């Protein structure tokens, strides 16, 4: 089997998954990449320049990036690099139907004080304001009916995927480059998007009453 070359020491979850599935995976800089006959794909951490990426594409390599802003910029320039989002750590995040439900909602709000106050006033909620281990986060997700997320970064947070892996209904705000979310998550299927505090509270109330919905 050909090797996948990861042009970085950055671990976006890719190394763990490829190794677990017995794919060949080497960690190299671009200058260390062997001849093309040994390569199936290149994962770029953002260090490759446009000329190098075009050279790899012309040799029929698949070139991936985990940075959406970089993917978007290169797409505008008609450079067909592929985007690979964060992957979920399947060994930690999983649905556990035997887990006792303790909270209406587990929230990651990243400083949105207005939304924080509204959710605390209306629901039995666990608000995450500390750094959690993966195991702690999984346990809290499994103990909650809904996961609510507010993110200021222009990216699909990995917590959305982790909550989905735990079988939770996921509420989140729209990110600025909404087309990114549209590419990977189907609204109303993998995620429920809210617009502002009132809409978030309304949708959370609705789905807590109507689990079938």
């Amino acid at each position: 089997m050909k090797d996948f070359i990861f042009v970085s020491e950055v671990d976006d979850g890719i190394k763990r998954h490829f190794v677990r599935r017995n794919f060949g995976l080497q960690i190299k800089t671009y200058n260390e990449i062997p001849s093309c006959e040994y390569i199936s794909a290149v994962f770029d951490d953002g260090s490759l320049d446009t000329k190098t990426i075009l050279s790899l594409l012309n040799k029929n390599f698949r070139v991936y990036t985990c940075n959406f802003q970089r993917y978007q910029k290169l797409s505008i320039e008609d450079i067909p690099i592929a985007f690979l989002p964060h992957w979920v750590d399947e060994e930690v995040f999983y649905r556990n139907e035997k887990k006792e439900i303790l909270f209406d909602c587990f929230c990651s709000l990243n400083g949105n004080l207005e939304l924080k106050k509204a959710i605390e006033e209306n629901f039995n909620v666990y608000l995450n304001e500390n750094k959690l281990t993966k195991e702690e986060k999984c346990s809290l997700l499994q103990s909650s009916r809904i996961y609510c997320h507010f993110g200021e970064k222009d990216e699909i947070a990995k917590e959305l995927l982790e909550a989905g892996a735990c079988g939770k209904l996921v509420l989140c705000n729209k990110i600025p480059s909404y087309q990114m979310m549209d590419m990977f998550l189907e609204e109303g299927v993998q995620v429920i998007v809210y617009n502002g505090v009132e809409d978030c509270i309304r949708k959370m109330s609705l789905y807590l009453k109507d689990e079938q919905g």
Side-chain angles (χ1 to χ4, degrees):
M1 180 178 290
K2 291 184 178 181
D3 282 329
F4 294 80
I5 303 298
F6 197 73
V7 192
S8 172
E9 284 297 334
V10 177
D11 184 356
D12 231 355
I14 296 170
K15 282 191 284 189
R16 291 193 305 275
H17 285 264
F18 274 49
V19 171
R20 186 178 304 146
R21 288 163 176 76
N22 296 317
F23 288 125
L25 181 66
Q26 296 184 38
I27 311 300
K28 294 183 177 293
T29 66
Y30 175 69
N31 292 330
E32 295 173 327
I33 292 177
S35 61
C36 60
E37 63 185 286
Y38 298 109
I39 300 175
S40 176
V42 174
F43 296 89
D44 171 34
D45 69 340
S47 63
L48 300 182
D49 58 32
T50 302
K51 182 179 178 181
T52 300
I53 291 173
L54 287 172
S55 174
L56 290 167
L57 291 169
N58 288 335
K59 294 176 182 176
N60 295 318
F61 295 150
R62 292 281 291 169
V63 183
Y64 295 89
T65 181
C66 297
N67 184 308
F68 182 74
Q69 283 72 30
R70 180 171 170 78
Y71 163 76
Q72 194 174 39
K73 178 180 181 294
L74 292 172
S75 295
I76 292 172
E77 297 173 7
D78 292 324
I79 299 174
I81 192 170
F83 177 66
L84 191 71
H86 292 279
W87 293 14
V88 176
D89 190 337
E90 298 165 350
E91 290 184 352
V92 176
F93 296 95
Y94 59 94
R95 184 191 301 260
N96 184 354
E97 295 179 353
K98 296 179 181 179
K99 188 80 172 181
E100 181 183 2
I101 299 297
L102 302 175
F103 307 104
D104 292 331
C105 180
F106 173 45
C107 293
S108 179
L109 300 178
N110 295 331
N112 189 313
L113 299 180
E114 183 184 2
L115 186 53
K116 176 179 183 290
K117 181 179 178 182
I119 289 176
E120 284 182 314
E121 289 176 350
N122 288 276
F123 306 104
N124 171 26
V125 59
Y126 184 93
L127 283 164
N128 175 33
E129 298 181 4
N130 301 307
K131 186 172 180 62
L132 301 173
T133 66
K134 291 184 291 185
E135 290 76 14
E136 288 170 336
K137 193 190 302 181
C138 177
S139 180
L140 287 164
L141 283 168
Q142 292 172 341
S143 302
S144 306
R145 298 189 186 281
I146 290 176
Y147 174 69
C148 180
H149 183 86
F150 175 83
E152 295 180 324
K153 293 182 179 179
D154 192 15
E155 64 182 15
I156 298 176
K158 64 180 180 179
E159 286 82 6
L160 304 185
L161 307 180
E162 292 166 350
C166 289
K168 302 295 112 174
L169 183 144
V170 178
L171 281 171
C172 71
N173 62 307
K174 284 189 177 182
I175 60 176
S177 55
Y178 186 64
Q179 68 271 27
M180 173 189 174
M181 186 174 286
D182 229 15
M183 287 170 58
F184 300 102
L185 298 172
E186 186 176 352
E187 188 173 344
V189 178
Q190 286 101 1
V191 67
I192 305 294
V193 175
Y194 64 83
N195 295 288
V197 174
E198 290 184 6
D199 190 42
C200 179
I201 299 302
R202 182 183 65 81
K203 286 180 175 175
M204 196 177 295
S205 299
L206 172 67
Y207 287 108
L208 285 171
K209 293 177 182 176
D210 181 12
E211 290 190 21
Q212 186 69 28

